[in-house]
Amino acid sequence: MKVLYYDCFSGISGDMNLGALIDLGIPYNHLTSELDKLNIKNEFEIYIEKAIKGGITGTKVNIIDSNNKDHTHCHNHHHHHHRSYKDIKDIILNSSLSESIKNLSIKIFDKVAISESKIHNKSLEEVHFHEVGAIDSIVDIVGCAICIDFLKVDLIISSPIEIGYGTLKCAHGILPVPAPATAEILKGVPVIAKNVSFEATTPTGAAIIKSIATNFTYKKDFTIEGIGYGIGDRENPIAPNVLRVLLGEKNNFTTSKEYIVECNIDDMRGEEFELLMERLFEKGAFDVFYTPIFMKKERPGVKVSVICNEENLKNIKEVIFINSSTIGIRQHEVHRDKLSRIEKNVNCKFGNIPSKISFYDNKEVNMKPDYDVCKEIAKINNISISEVFHEVIYSYLTSKKDNNKDE
């Protein structure tokens, strides 16, 4: 499984994203030849250069507005040539770009249009973009779609998003960071505001990452095969104004060395097994299970089986000896294959429900909502846990179907 990971430790903007993807290895000639299909190439020029921020070398992208040679990429929300939502859709739909690139480009623009519509209390048809109506953001967004289409990745995930803090100047005056449009777009996405004292994530950047990432986590469970750095405009002594992307390969499954610890017991009260299991899980057991058995002289008994890693092996044996009647333990090493999986919050009428999605051969094979969360929802609403499970799975499948239509 081919994975693209966004490390947004210093935020994300349209130009930083385009720079990172080019730095990763997207051919410049491919990008420009595809952008020419928009039929607006007389409105902009692209300049690519290597640059350094905070000791990190990456790619800097500058989009020059041919109608305003003094304007290059900038995170400040100045006045640019404005286009309506319909204008932008017409440019994309009337181009000779592939359908997948068109669909992703419009999906990203839709997120900005909907946020602007809500903030300014206007219909989508009335929305005129400020930042996103500028030629540089059109190139950033369509350029992103071109690069993602070229990479043909199976999964895109991201770290939580650094949004920055402070204030910014825009067409409407001084506003707090994040900008209202950025905040609206990033609803439901984990964010931090820690290391950047300015606007770290722009509306364009927020719309891009919200549209393409399916999960937000610091976990990187793949083999890194490529790295790209996109260089921003701002200076920051704490964290360089850089976006990092990682291209990796995630196996169908991972193999880990583990241990099975077992013992046979025929002289314990049944209730004691509950506490034994509870304490085994507290000490790091991956799984605990009891099997009814018949021992010598046909005595009924219970086989206690515990799966753990080497690090917790000693503690597991100690718990068994102290909390059970056994006087002997046997152990053997095993190797366990685990399917590739991601954790994702599924939005349904009960809220955001943590769920695990498993893959084999680049195909999704299982989706499982978190049992403990579903159990609490069932208790609070006085309903069966099956009803909760069904609602979460239905919402997930519906959302997945809608996303496939968008793509």
Side-chain angles (χ1 to χ4, degrees):
M1 178 185 291
K2 201 173 180 181
V3 180
L4 183 64
Y5 182 89
Y6 274 78
D7 203 349
C8 301
F9 69 97
S10 192
I12 178 172
S13 64
D15 60 316
M16 291 165 69
N17 176 63
L18 201 54
L21 293 173
I22 292 171
D23 201 60
L24 185 63
I26 306 299
Y28 173 73
N29 290 339
H30 173 76
L31 174 64
T32 55
S33 63
E34 288 292 295
L35 286 171
D36 286 348
K37 296 178 181 180
L38 288 171
N39 299 314
I40 55 171
K41 65 179 181 179
N42 62 320
E43 294 189 29
F44 67 90
E45 300 171 34
I46 303 180
Y47 290 93
I48 309 294
E49 62 180 349
K50 284 292 183 180
I52 298 177
K53 286 280 184 182
I56 296 175
T57 301
T59 298
K60 180 78 180 73
V61 173
N62 282 308
I63 311 297
I64 308 299
D65 186 340
S66 298
N67 298 314
N68 180 10
K69 291 286 188 177
D70 294 330
H71 170 65
T72 57
H73 254 116
C74 171
H75 287 192
N76 292 329
H77 299 233
H78 298 308
H79 289 281
H80 305 309
H81 172 62
H82 298 341
R83 278 188 168 98
S84 70
Y85 175 65
K86 182 180 182 303
D87 292 335
I88 294 169
K89 287 188 70 173
D90 286 344
I91 289 172
I92 296 170
L93 292 174
N94 292 329
S95 74
S96 57
L97 290 164
S98 69
E99 289 302 309
S100 60
I101 294 174
K102 289 180 181 179
N103 291 338
L104 179 53
S105 299
I106 291 173
K107 181 179 180 180
I108 297 170
F109 274 113
D110 280 349
K111 294 203 180 301
V112 184
I114 292 169
S115 68
E116 293 279 2
S117 172
K118 182 174 181 179
I119 291 165
H120 299 300
N121 194 28
K122 294 182 178 181
S123 67
L124 285 177
E125 291 72 22
E126 295 176 295
V127 170
H128 278 71
F129 297 109
H130 297 293
E131 182 196 3
V132 177
I135 188 65
D136 54 358
S137 292
I138 294 174
V139 174
D140 287 339
I141 290 174
V142 178
C144 169
I146 291 167
C147 293
I148 295 299
D149 182 75
F150 179 87
L151 286 172
K152 297 289 189 295
V153 294
D154 303 298
L155 177 67
I156 301 177
I157 53 181
S158 171
S159 69
I161 311 300
E162 170 68 63
I163 55 175
Y165 57 89
T167 60
L168 60 89
K169 291 182 180 180
C170 71
H172 303 287
I174 296 177
L175 294 175
V177 171
T182 303
E184 183 67 28
I185 293 166
L186 290 178
K187 285 198 302 189
V189 173
V191 300
I192 55 174
K194 182 179 180 182
N195 298 319
V196 182
S197 59
F198 50 81
E199 183 188 29
T201 296
T202 64
T204 302
I208 287 171
I209 200 65
K210 183 72 176 287
S211 298
I212 64 176
T214 58
N215 192 33
F216 296 85
T217 176
Y218 287 115
K219 187 177 180 181
K220 303 175 184 68
D221 185 17
F222 53 85
T223 302
I224 297 174
E225 297 184 343
I227 305 172
Y229 294 96
I231 306 298
D233 294 302
R234 307 293 292 270
E235 297 294 338
N236 182 13
I238 300 176
N241 192 207
V242 171
L243 171 67
R244 180 169 69 175
V245 295
L246 306 174
L247 186 65
E249 186 68 31
K250 190 177 179 72
N251 294 326
N252 285 326
F253 50 80
T254 57
T255 301
S256 58
K257 183 178 77 171
E258 296 170 3
Y259 289 84
I260 293 181
V261 182
E262 293 179 335
C263 64
N264 298 343
I265 297 175
D266 65 355
D267 57 352
M268 264 177 63
R269 291 184 293 270
E271 297 89 340
E272 294 181 70
F273 286 98
E274 179 186 18
L275 180 59
L276 174 61
M277 180 179 287
E278 181 181 312
R279 288 182 171 169
L280 285 167
F281 279 122
E282 288 175 355
K283 291 298 183 179
F286 294 140
D287 202 0
V288 181
F289 52 96
Y290 300 143
T291 306
I293 57 174
F294 281 95
M295 301 166 65
K296 61 184 179 182
K297 298 182 179 179
E298 300 301 316
R299 296 196 313 272
V302 174
K303 181 171 75 171
V304 176
S305 301
V306 185
I307 302 175
C308 67
N309 60 20
E310 188 172 13
E311 180 182 353
N312 294 318
L313 181 60
K314 180 180 178 182
N315 291 335
I316 292 298
K317 290 192 284 189
E318 183 178 271
V319 169
I320 294 174
F321 278 130
I322 293 176
N323 293 274
S324 77
S325 61
T326 191
I327 57 174
I329 291 175
R330 55 190 180 272
Q331 69 181 55
H332 56 277
E333 181 182 312
V334 295
H335 291 83
R336 182 162 64 126
D337 294 336
K338 295 171 285 188
L339 288 178
S340 298
R341 69 191 75 178
I342 62 171
E343 295 182 3
K344 181 176 183 178
N345 287 330
V346 176
N347 187 27
C348 68
K349 69 180 183 182
F350 298 119
N352 286 321
I353 311 302
S355 304
K356 291 181 179 178
I357 302 163
S358 302
F359 299 85
Y360 182 79
D361 197 21
N362 297 335
K363 295 179 181 178
E364 184 179 316
V365 294
N366 190 29
M367 181 272 185
K368 185 176 181 181
D370 185 273
Y371 170 78
D372 289 328
V373 174
C374 291
K375 181 176 75 172
E376 287 304 310
I377 292 172
K379 287 181 178 179
I380 292 170
N381 293 277
N382 194 29
I383 57 177
S384 71
I385 195 167
S386 293
E387 184 175 341
V388 182
F389 276 131
H390 290 158
E391 171 62 25
V392 178
I393 294 170
Y394 174 78
S395 297
Y396 172 72
L397 293 176
T398 301
S399 173
K400 183 180 174 183
K401 185 178 179 181
D402 290 342
N403 287 336
N404 288 338
K405 285 182 180 178
D406 290 338
E407 294 171 1

